[in-house]
Amino acid sequence: EDQVTQSPEALRLQEGESSSLNCSYTVSGLRGLFWYRQDPGKGPEFLFTLYSAGEEKEKERLKATLTKKESFLHITAPKPEDSATYLCAVRYGGATNKLIFGTGTLLAVQP
Amino acid sequence: DGGITQSPKYLFRKEGQNVTLSCEQNLNHDAMYWYRQDPGQGLRLIYYSQIVNDFQKGDIAEGYSVSREKKESFPLTVTSAQKNPTAFYLCASSTSGPNSGNTIYFGEGSWLTVV
């Protein structure tokens, strides 16, 4: 079954404590993997798109990496304003070009 | 500023009523989408449209209807046939094309509550 699984479901960090969020997928014909940040009551904000294994992208304290089976979102020296839910989505398939979302990781960074 | 505008932000519906959620984008995107978000579940696709005057059902289309008369607009009607409509609704858009990993951009969402 095609699916996207994010772990952990929730993560609590101290300010400055680096960590990683995981997004594993079992689909065929990957066309793109997307990371979003979602604040409570708001729409997801686009962060990164990764297209092929080995690709990496960075933005401020965030770095996304991609392998053939999973993606990691590394958060270096997080600040309280990094607290949010981080969503992963995978686009795959041929003509159908489907997109499925994981359920997200709720990140809380304490000062 | 370019973006996706959803309205209203909050909407209350009585049992048996139809309600329409508005979505407008000025990104010049061909494709538009409606998703539903419920606690503990991933976003689920309701309807999508890749071009004006054409749209396709997503995974949970029952009880919903859409129209795409203009490139910029993709309104969603939640009909009385939708048994559990209370949710957070997200409109999104992207450039079109079946052979690319087009990034989807989202609006700010609309909360619908049945009272």
Side-chain angles (χ1 to χ4, degrees), chain A residues 31-32 34 36 38 41-44 46 49 51 87 91 93-97 99 101-103, chain B residues 9 33 35 37 40-43 88 90 97-108 111:
Chain A
R31 296 190 176 279
F34 309 90
Y36 293 87
Q38 186 174 25
K42 298 201 171 181
F46 170 70
T49 305
Y51 292 107
L87 299 175
R91 190 182 287 279
T96 54
N97 199 12
L99 180 70
F101 284 82
T103 55
Chain B
K9 179 68 176 179
Y33 313 79
Y35 285 89
Q37 188 172 34
Q41 298 193 44
L43 274 68
F88 189 47
L90 289 161
N99 296 317
S100 62
N102 297 324
T103 299
I104 285 183
Y105 297 90
F106 287 89
E108 286 295 288
W111 289 94

Side-chain angles (χ1 to χ4, degrees), chain A residues 34-96:
Chain A
F34 309 90
W35 282 100
Y36 293 87
R37 170 196 169 121
Q38 186 174 25
D39 292 304
K42 298 201 171 181
E45 174 190 349
F46 170 70
L47 293 174
F48 305 108
T49 305
L50 302 167
Y51 292 107
S52 57
E55 189 174 359
E56 299 182 352
K57 289 194 176 172
E58 289 187 67
K59 180 180 179 180
E60 297 181 355
R61 295 178 291 282
L62 301 177
K63 179 180 178 181
T65 62
L66 181 64
T67 72
K68 289 186 177 181
K69 294 185 177 181
E70 59 191 348
S71 176
F72 291 95
L73 184 65
H74 306 278
I75 303 176
T76 302
K79 298 182 178 181
E81 53 262 42
D82 294 321
S83 298
T85 296
Y86 290 85
L87 299 175
C88 167
V90 169
R91 190 182 287 279
Y92 66 103
T96 54

Side-chain angles (χ1 to χ4, degrees), chain B residues 12-73:
Chain B
F12 297 89
R13 190 193 92 172
K14 292 183 179 179
E15 295 274 357
Q17 282 184 337
N18 294 351
V19 294
T20 297
L21 306 180
S22 170
C23 178
E24 303 277 334
Q25 56 98 359
N26 60 5
L27 300 170
N28 199 32
H29 285 167
D30 289 313
M32 297 188 73
Y33 313 79
W34 275 104
Y35 285 89
R36 170 178 171 145
Q37 188 172 34
D38 295 283
Q41 298 193 44
L43 274 68
R44 292 183 290 168
L45 182 64
I46 304 172
Y47 268 97
Y48 67 99
S49 168
Q50 300 224 44
I51 196 169
V52 174
N53 292 322
D54 185 57
F55 48 83
Q56 307 294 329
K57 292 182 178 180
D59 300 319
I60 56 166
E62 185 176 351
Y64 300 97
S65 65
V66 294
S67 63
R68 187 85 186 276
E69 298 177 359
K70 299 188 299 181
K71 184 176 183 178
E72 302 80 16
S73 178

